[in-house]
Amino acid sequence: MGMLNLVSILIGLVALPIALVGFIPLLGALNWLSIPIAIVGAAVGMLSSHRSGRNFNIFVIVVGCVRLWLGFGIL
């Protein structure tokens, strides 16, 4: 496993709990924080020859976007 892939996974592991806490009603705005963190992780993952870190961060981005969509961006 490449070093950039490992860094990407670690960034995703920071963003995922923030996104999961954002699923609690009235805390959905936390996804506005988790999505940019996951975007940085996905960018780092794109620099790696492995795909797992990038895919993990894309999953976190999708989870955050779906939650924002369900809560109209703020709830």
Side-chain angles (χ1 to χ4, degrees), residues 1 12-13 16-18 24 28 45-47 54 74:
M1 183 179 301
L13 287 175
L16 183 63
I18 297 171
I24 298 172
M46 284 185 205
L47 298 174
R54 181 199 64 195
I74 53 170

Side-chain angles (χ1 to χ4, degrees), residues 6-28:
L6 182 62
V7 169
S8 176
I9 291 172
L10 290 175
I11 292 172
L13 287 175
V14 169
L16 183 63
I18 297 171
L20 292 178
V21 169
F23 267 96
I24 298 172
L26 302 176
L27 293 177

